[in-house]
Amino acid sequence: MAVHTSQSVAKAAGDDVVARGRSRGTGNPPPPGRLRRALSTHWYAWTMVAPVVIVIGVIIGYPLVRGIYLSLTDANERNVERSIGVNHIPATYKFVGLDNYTDVISGNEFLGTLGWTLVWTVSCVAITFALGMGLANILNRRIAGRSAYRMALILPWAIPGFVSVFAWRFLYNEDRGLLNKILSGTGFDGIPWLNDPTWAKFSVIAVNVWLGVPFMMVALLGGLQSIPSEHYEAAEMDGATAWQRFRHITLPGLRPVSTTVILLSTIWTFNMFPVIFLLTSGGPGDATQILVTQAYKFSFEISPRDFALSSTWGVLILVLLMLFAAVYRRVLRTQGDDW
C-alpha cells in the first residue's frame, strides 16, 4: 500500500512538471486568453467597428487629450507656436501643473457663471419637460386635427437653430420688435428684453424652451403610446380619477423614457452654445454667460486669447457633466431602474 501511494504521488508530480513545461513553451502552447478568443471569434465585427473607433479617436480623443494638456500650461496667443509670413516662431509656453484649476475654482467668475448655468439648465429642463408632458398627453387623445397639431408643434424642431434664434432676436428688438409693438398698442411700455439682465435671462430661457419642447413632446408621446390602454380602462372601471391614473399609470409607464430624455436634455442645455451666443452674446455684460460661452470667450474674444484658461474651463465642464451622469445613474439604481 505504501509503495502504491508513493507511485501515485510521483506520477502526480510528473504530470505537474509536464503541465508546467507545456505552459513554458516546451510542449503544447497554453490556451488563448480572453481577448484573443474574442478577436478570433468576432474578428469580422471588430473589423467593421475599427474604422469608427479610429475616427472617433481622432476627432474626439486627440482634441480632448490636447485640451487637458493645454489646461496644465500657460499657453496663450503670444507664446504658442505660430507663423508670421515666412518667419516661424516656436512655442514658449510652460507647464504650470494644476495652477489654472486652482485659480479658476477659487475665483468668483467661475462660481458666478456656474450658478447661472445651473439655474439656466434646471429652469429650461423643468419647463420643457412639463410642457412636453402636457402636450404629449393632449395629443395622445383622439381629437380633431391631431395630425395637424403634431406637425405644427414639431415645426420649431425642424427649423435650423440659428434661424430660430435670429427670428426671436428680431421679435425681442427693443425699438422695432413685434413684442414691444404689441405692448405699445395695448398701452404698456416696451420692455428691454435683451438689454436688462433679468429680462435677458428670461428671454434666453423662453427661446431655449421653445426649441426644446418638440423633442420632449415627441419622446414622451412615444412613451405614452407604448403604455397598454387596458391599464387605463381597468383603472377607470375601478373608479380611479384622472389624477390617480396619471400618477399611478402614466408616470411609472413613462419612467424609462423620462430618465433618458431628462439626462439628454440636461447635457444639451448645459452646453447650449447657440442660443446664448447668437441671442445675447452673454450680455448684457456677463449676465447670461454660461460656462461653455465663457470658455469660448477666453479662447476667441479676449486679447490675448487665453488657450490654457479656455481649456481649463472646458475640462471642468466635462468633469461636472460626468459627475452629474454618475450621480444620476446612482439615484436611478437606488430607485430600482437599470440605466
Side-chain angles (χ1 to χ4, degrees), residues 17-30:
V17 171
V18 171
R20 281 183 293 178
R22 288 177 177 176
S23 64
R24 291 174 183 171
T26 58
N28 295 328

Side-chain angles (χ1 to χ4, degrees), residues 2-200:
V3 174
H4 180 70
T5 302
S6 299
Q7 291 176 347
S8 299
V9 172
K11 183 179 180 182
D15 293 341
D16 183 62
V17 171
V18 171
R20 281 183 293 178
R22 288 177 177 176
S23 64
R24 291 174 183 171
T26 58
N28 295 328
R34 197 173 189 183
L35 179 59
R36 189 174 176 183
R37 288 199 307 270
L39 290 174
S40 61
T41 305
H42 306 290
W43 65 269
Y44 182 76
W46 286 104
T47 303
M48 298 297 290
V49 170
V52 178
V53 174
I54 294 173
V55 171
I56 291 177
V58 173
I59 295 178
I60 298 177
Y62 173 74
L64 177 61
V65 173
R66 179 68 175 172
I68 294 174
Y69 170 71
L70 288 177
S71 69
L72 303 175
T73 67
D74 62 349
N76 58 50
E77 188 179 11
R78 295 173 179 171
N79 58 21
V80 296
E81 182 181 5
R82 60 200 184 277
S83 296
I84 302 177
V86 296
N87 299 318
H88 179 75
I89 303 175
T92 58
Y93 57 83
K94 298 177 294 183
F95 183 82
V96 296
L98 299 176
D99 291 351
N100 291 329
Y101 293 94
T102 303
D103 295 339
V104 169
I105 294 175
S106 60
N108 294 328
E109 188 175 29
F110 177 79
L111 296 178
T113 307
L114 176 61
W116 159 239
T117 304
L118 294 177
V119 172
W120 147 267
T121 304
V122 173
S123 301
C124 289
V125 173
I127 298 173
T128 302
F129 183 80
L131 292 177
M133 175 74 76
L135 292 172
N137 275 280
I138 293 173
L139 295 180
N140 194 41
R141 301 175 182 176
R142 297 186 179 277
I143 57 177
R146 182 172 61 174
S147 299
Y149 293 142
R150 288 182 180 180
M151 291 298 298
L153 291 171
I154 293 175
L155 186 62
W157 197 17
I159 299 174
F162 72 93
V163 175
S164 299
V165 174
F166 282 136
W168 276 99
R169 188 170 180 174
F170 175 75
L171 293 174
Y172 282 140
N173 188 278
E174 189 173 353
D175 299 322
R176 300 180 299 275
L178 180 61
L179 296 178
N180 278 350
K181 286 185 176 181
I182 294 175
L183 290 175
S184 299
T186 56
F188 293 96
D189 295 332
I191 296 175
W193 297 101
L194 303 180
N195 297 320
D196 177 79
T198 302
W199 282 110

